[in-house]
């Protein structure tokens, strides 16, 4: 499968440079066509079983993206009351939303349950509280920590023994004791292994652990295998072969359902897989500095807008939209934040000149949602291109937005 790249640097026939002229720079642009294609890919891979997609919306919570997901039949996984509220604003029923907290105040869980969302219980103390509070009147899922290490790097693994997430599978006896004590209605088992997982093997391994654990819970309706499918970052990059993964997991799931004695639903919670490749961060070059050690390209953005390279060393392919046929030269592409703020080191790019427009690829997931106002910088606008139309779906921030909460004058 090929990495997506705007063909001749057009997105659905729209010239990204023209978008920066219209809406300014820097600018986040999302291609709705890519989102639709990724959803279709996942549905196709699991066509033979009862599978539901719960988009892990921390990847991108623009309301227009959430609405698009809802329109194409994708439900939601949220990790905070704020995300839950955004889901409802996008038109979701609370019953279509799963709340997967990580050690949050129990009041947040109460709010979610009372609004009608389903909760993934992630600790024994929360399970105890859930039982005390609701007895058998409200269903929930349990987030199991299977003690499997998988994912792109240690910072984005979430299921190894040292991870903070979920209840260790080794504590099964204690889980069962609490469930029995309060007669808690456990309708599903959940786990999320980590991010950037390429092969089917880790999914099968944790699936087997959940299937084994499931035998102790007679009222299950759902097995939730989380998210974490790897996407393509580089031309020719190895990515999750969805059809193969779907075939292998579906087969194992069908066998499990037979043994369990009932047809269950299989849930996935992809974030990155659905939106990463749809997004572009467009920036303008401000200074090209030919230093004796390195050529530096400075841009009108920084880790305040896209923190992934500095936070966990992620790779973002860069296109020089303004000079695609220029002679290749090596650059460090850096941001304007007064910290080490490097988007790319020793990157070959067609010759970069002042005021060129560069596009960072794979900016649709964990881009805008992880952005900040560090250095009193303002966040970019966002544009969604869908059905051949570009639409501004978030205006650029102003200084007033930034000052709104300050009371110290
Ligand atoms: C972040 C998260 C996901 C999505 O991970 P991706 O790597 O973006 O697919 C899924 N489930 C839970 C519980 C998460 O916290």
């Amino acid at each position: 499968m090929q990495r997506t790249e705007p063909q001749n640097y057009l997105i659905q026939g729209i010239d990204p440079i023209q978008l920066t002229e219209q809406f300014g720079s820097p600018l986040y642009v999302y291609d709705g066509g890519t989102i639709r294609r990724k959803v279709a890919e996942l549905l196709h891979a699991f066509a033979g079983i009862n599978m539901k997609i719960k988009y892990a919306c921390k990847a991108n919570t623009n309301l227009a993206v959430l609405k698009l997901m809802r329109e194409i039949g994708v439900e939601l996984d949220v990790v905070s009351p704020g995300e839950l509220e955004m889901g409802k604003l996008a038109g979701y029923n609370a019953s279509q939303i799963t709340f997967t907290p990580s050690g949050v105040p129990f009041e947040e869980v109460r709010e979610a349950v009372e609004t009608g969302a389903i909760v993934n219980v992630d600790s024994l103390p929360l399970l105890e509280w859930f039982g005390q509070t609701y007895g058998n009147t409200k269903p929930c899922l349990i987030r199991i920590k299977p003690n499997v290490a998988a994912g792109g790097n240690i910072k984005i693994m979430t299921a190894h023994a040292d991870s903070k997430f979920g209840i260790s599978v080794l504590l099964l006896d204690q889980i069962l004791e609490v469930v029995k004590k309060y007669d808690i209605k456990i309708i599903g088992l959940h786990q999320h292994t980590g991010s950037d997982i390429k092969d089917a093997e880790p999914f099968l391994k944790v699936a087997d652990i959940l299937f084994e654990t499931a035998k102790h819970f007679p009222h299950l309706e759902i097995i939730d295998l989380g998210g974490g499918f790897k996407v393509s970052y580089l031309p020719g990059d190895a990515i999750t072969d969805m059809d193969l993964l779907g075939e292998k997991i579906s087969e194992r799931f069908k066998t499990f359902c037979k043994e369990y004695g009932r047809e269950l639903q299989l849930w996935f919670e992809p974030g990155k897989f659905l939106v990463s490749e749809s997004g572009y961060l467009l920036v303008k070059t401000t200074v090209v500095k030919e230093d004796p050690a390195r050529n530096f390209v400075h841009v009108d953005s920084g880790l305040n807008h896209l923190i992934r390279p500095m936070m966990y060393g992620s790779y973002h392919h860069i296109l020089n939209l303004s000079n695609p046929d220029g002679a290749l030269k090596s650059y460090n592409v850096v941001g304007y934040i007064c910290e080490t703020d490097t988007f790319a080191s020793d990157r070959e790019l067609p010759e970069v000149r002042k005021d060129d427009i560069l596009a960072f690829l794979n900016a649709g997931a964990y881009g805008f949602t992880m952005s900040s106002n560090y250095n009193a910088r303002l966040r970019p606008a966002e544009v969604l291109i869908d059905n051949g139309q570009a639409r501004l779906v978030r205006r650029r921030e102003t200084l007033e937005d930034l000052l709104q909460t300050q009371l110290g004058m």
Side-chain angles (χ1 to χ4, degrees):
M1 250 171 294
Q2 274 297 304
R3 186 176 59 96
T4 41
E5 198 169 291
Q7 225 152 37
N8 306 322
Y9 301 159
L10 297 182
I11 309 169
Q12 293 190 34
I14 292 171
D15 177 0
I17 293 181
Q18 196 258 317
L19 291 176
T20 62
E21 283 159 11
Q22 190 177 352
F23 301 110
S25 163
L27 185 70
Y28 271 102
V29 177
Y30 310 119
D31 176 5
T34 302
I35 295 175
R36 290 170 190 276
R37 181 170 57 76
K38 300 301 284 188
V39 168
E41 252 176 54
L42 196 51
L43 291 174
H44 181 263
F46 289 92
I49 59 166
N50 189 353
M51 193 274 281
K52 244 189 197 177
I53 308 176
K54 299 269 170 174
Y55 167 50
C57 72
K58 70 180 192 284
N60 187 328
T61 41
N62 189 288
L63 291 178
V65 171
L66 298 183
K67 276 188 179 165
L68 171 60
M69 292 290 184
R70 186 175 58 77
E71 280 162 24
I72 56 181
V74 173
E75 298 190 351
L76 279 196
D77 186 81
V78 305
V79 293
S80 71
E83 285 185 357
L84 179 52
E85 207 46 50
M86 288 183 194
K88 288 200 280 183
L89 284 171
Y92 280 100
N93 291 325
S95 63
Q96 298 172 299
I97 303 178
T98 320
F99 179 37
T100 305
S102 170
V104 302
F106 298 165
E107 281 313 304
E108 289 190 3
V109 176
R110 188 195 301 277
E111 274 172 48
V113 170
E114 268 156 33
T115 192
I118 279 210
V119 174
N120 269 322
V121 172
D122 73 313
S123 71
L124 279 172
L126 179 60
L127 189 63
E128 181 84 32
W129 175 88
F130 199 92
Q132 271 171 10
T133 310
Y134 300 114
N136 69 355
T137 63
K138 300 281 183 190
C140 69
L141 289 81
I142 295 182
R143 178 169 190 169
I144 299 285
K145 182 172 75 168
N147 298 330
V148 169
N153 67 56
I154 188 73
K155 285 194 188 169
I156 54 174
M157 290 182 183
T158 52
H160 54 298
D162 284 337
S163 162
K164 68 165 180 165
F165 296 102
I167 312 178
S168 171
V169 68
L170 302 175
L171 299 177
L172 180 60
D173 288 348
Q174 291 178 52
I175 297 174
L176 292 172
E177 210 171 285
V178 179
V179 169
K180 192 166 158 222
K181 184 164 144 200
Y182 300 104
D183 190 24
I184 306 171
K185 208 171 148 196
I186 307 297
I187 58 162
L189 297 183
H190 165 277
Q191 76 80 39
H192 169 63
T193 314
S195 209
D196 277 349
I197 303 168
K198 179 168 73 65
D199 300 316
E201 286 320 310
F203 284 100
L204 290 172
K205 203 161 152 188
V206 295
D208 280 344
I209 293 170
L210 284 200
F211 296 161
E212 191 55 39
T213 311
K215 293 177 183 163
H216 301 275
F217 298 87
H219 308 297
L220 296 185
E221 295 162 26
I222 300 148
I223 295 287
D224 182 341
L225 291 182
F229 306 123
K230 190 177 177 308
V231 297
S232 159
Y233 294 109
L234 277 156
D237 214 1
I239 63 166
T240 308
D241 181 338
M242 265 305 151
D243 280 342
L244 184 67
L245 182 129
E247 192 184 307
K248 284 188 175 173
I249 296 180
S250 299
E251 191 188 300
R252 201 76 68 90
F253 183 67
K254 280 185 195 159
T255 311
F256 160 72
C257 288
K258 230 177 258 161
E259 286 169 13
Y260 190 79
R262 194 142 35 92
E263 289 282 308
L264 273 71
Q265 280 185 10
L266 186 65
W267 288 7
F268 284 104
E269 303 159 354
K272 201 177 275 181
F273 180 79
L274 300 183
V275 291
S276 174
E277 291 165 50
S278 78
Y280 306 85
L281 175 59
L282 306 180
V283 301
K284 190 182 259 191
T285 62
T286 47
V287 178
V288 180
K289 199 153 73 182
E290 308 223 329
D291 185 90
R294 284 263 190 291
N295 298 323
F296 288 98
V297 171
H298 294 256
V299 302
D300 61 352
S301 181
L303 60 82
N304 54 325
H305 296 156
L306 183 64
I307 201 175
R308 299 182 73 250
M310 293 311 298
M311 187 160 163
Y312 39 66
S314 66
Y315 177 91
H316 290 268
H317 202 61
I318 302 174
L319 305 174
N320 184 352
L321 300 180
S322 304
N323 191 23
D325 301 319
L328 290 178
K329 283 178 84 167
S330 184
Y331 298 97
N332 277 16
V333 180
V334 296
Y336 56 19
I337 292 295
C338 291
E339 297 279 341
T340 302
D341 185 8
T342 308
F343 287 114
S345 303
D346 295 324
R347 187 69 66 87
E348 291 234 302
L349 293 173
E351 182 175 14
V352 181
R353 307 145 314 173
K354 180 173 152 38
D355 296 330
D356 278 355
I357 300 293
L358 307 184
F360 295 101
L361 272 52
N362 290 93
Y366 309 108
F368 193 96
T369 51
M370 280 189 164
S371 65
S372 76
N373 292 114
Y374 189 40
N375 285 195
R377 291 288 183 181
L378 306 172
R379 275 179 268 228
E382 296 177 289
V383 165
L384 174 68
I385 303 179
D386 203 21
N387 302 317
Q389 298 284 325
R391 182 160 63 97
L392 187 66
V393 291
R394 187 192 304 265
R395 67 160 169 81
R396 192 170 299 284
E397 267 179 347
T398 64
L399 196 59
E400 287 85 80
D401 293 323
L402 203 58
L403 287 170
Q404 212 161 222
T405 51
Q406 294 239 28
L407 303 171
M409 294 251 272

